Amino acid sequence: FWLKLCTADPTGGGPMEPQFRRPRFVRRLGLLAGVLALCTYAWQAPGQHSSGDAFAAAEVAQLRSSCRDASAVAMQGGNRRQNRRNHPKKCHPKFQEARFKKWTLDTPAFVQRLFFCPEATLEDWSHTLKLNFPEGEDDVVTEEEVMEYFTTDEYKPEAIIVGHQMPHEEVKHTYVHFSCNAHAKKARKEKDGGAIGKASEVKLVYTDEKKWIRLRDGVSLAGGFWGQRARWMKAYGTEAYKGFRGHEEAVPTGVRNHWYYPED
């Protein structure tokens, strides 16, 4: 298809190097084949692509989806109008009735304090010590031996109850009452772990003053119909301390210097 042509030098110096030229028909035929191939690829249906192309397209789509889900600023198909409809605010009118009902049944914190007040710390307010003895030695001490054991130059018990036992208990206990909390603290520190009479060892713990008042007055320590007693209630009965009785005016802070005494 190539033609070899020899041309003469226009200056008359002799023949020049041969030149090769492609026939015009061959060039036109190559151009036509390229146009047909381009048209065929452009108009090829999507289903006629190879399986490799389809697999690559699926991977690209999956990658784009994962990137969109992991993005912190992706809209994910939502807009402000949909959020207003699907996630209304708490002050929306449709929640008004439930909100009013909650306000009606809600009890403020300052009112809840009238229904629950924790008891005082025993170590700071108790005047009474409870004596625990080893097994088999809970009923071998007498009131005189206990009085002698706890009597010193600095403190002395005011009252003693020996051999008290609750229906559900298997051992007996002894209670020693002092005039103030300071004496009870000092006695527990100095006398804990000692021997009293025939008892080889004694373990001392603080006791709630309401329990001592009930023991002193001959009232059972078992809970009654009302269950656990509130802090402002007296040791037994249905009466409350002064300042907590019905519509009685509250006692100013500092008027009482003790949680349980005086007992009015």
Side-chain angles (χ1 to χ4, degrees):
F1 297 100
W2 294 93
L3 298 178
K4 184 177 180 181
L5 301 176
C6 293
T7 59
D9 189 356
T11 61
M16 297 180 60
E17 295 183 1
Q19 296 182 359
F20 295 91
R21 295 181 58 187
R22 180 184 298 178
R24 185 177 298 179
F25 172 76
V26 178
R27 289 185 294 174
R28 291 179 179 179
L29 183 62
L31 179 62
L32 180 60
V35 173
L36 291 177
L38 182 63
C39 294
T40 305
Y41 180 81
W43 288 96
Q44 188 176 6
Q48 297 178 358
H49 290 291
S50 62
S51 58
D53 295 340
F55 181 74
E59 283 188 341
V60 172
Q62 184 177 4
L63 179 60
R64 290 177 179 175
S65 177
S66 61
C67 293
R68 183 179 66 252
D69 296 340
S71 176
V73 296
M75 293 299 293
Q76 298 184 0
N79 54 40
R80 294 177 59 86
R81 182 175 301 176
Q82 290 178 351
N83 287 333
R84 292 195 190 101
R85 181 181 68 252
N86 299 333
H87 306 285
K89 297 182 178 180
K90 296 182 179 180
C91 58
H92 194 276
K94 71 177 184 178
F95 299 136
Q96 179 174 337
E97 199 66 29
R99 188 166 62 252
F100 287 169
K101 183 178 181 180
K102 181 179 179 181
W103 291 348
T104 304
L105 301 179
D106 188 22
T107 305
F110 70 90
V111 177
Q112 293 180 0
R113 293 182 57 186
L114 299 177
F115 296 92
F116 176 78
C117 290
E119 292 289 346
T121 305
L122 295 180
E123 184 179 2
D124 297 333
W125 299 97
S126 177
H127 297 188
T128 308
L129 296 178
K130 179 181 178 180
L131 281 60
N132 301 315
F133 299 98
E135 186 177 358
E137 301 179 4
D138 57 326
D139 198 19
V140 297
V141 297
T142 62
E143 184 176 342
E144 291 75 14
E145 293 175 342
V146 175
M147 178 66 73
E148 181 181 359
Y149 180 76
F150 284 98
T151 300
T152 64
D153 296 338
E154 298 181 0
Y155 52 84
K156 179 182 179 180
E158 284 189 343
I160 297 175
I161 297 178
V162 179
H164 181 271
Q165 185 178 8
M166 293 286 292
H168 65 279
E169 294 179 337
E170 299 180 357
V171 296
K172 297 181 180 180
H173 301 281
T174 299
Y175 295 87
V176 181
H177 181 74
F178 296 89
S179 59
C180 63
N181 173 256
H183 291 176
K185 277 186 174 182
K186 190 171 295 185
R188 184 175 186 268
K189 183 178 180 180
E190 298 176 357
K191 301 297 183 177
D192 187 25
I196 303 178
K198 297 181 181 180
S200 60
E201 185 182 5
V202 60
K203 181 67 177 178
L204 306 179
V205 295
Y206 295 109
T207 303
D208 188 357
E209 282 303 296
K210 288 185 179 181
K211 291 185 178 181
W212 167 254
I213 295 173
R214 294 171 73 95
L215 289 173
R216 181 199 63 190
D217 296 347
V219 181
S220 174
L221 294 181
F225 173 78
W226 301 104
Q228 188 176 4
R229 302 186 67 79
R231 204 277 302 169
W232 65 85
M233 298 295 293
K234 290 187 176 182
Y236 55 90
T238 58
E239 295 186 5
Y241 287 109
K242 185 178 181 180
F244 292 93
R245 302 165 186 168
H247 298 285
E248 185 180 24
E249 185 177 355
V251 177
T253 303
V255 172
R256 294 179 62 96
N257 59 4
H258 200 280
W259 287 55
Y260 309 108
Y261 303 110
E263 301 177 34
D264 59 347

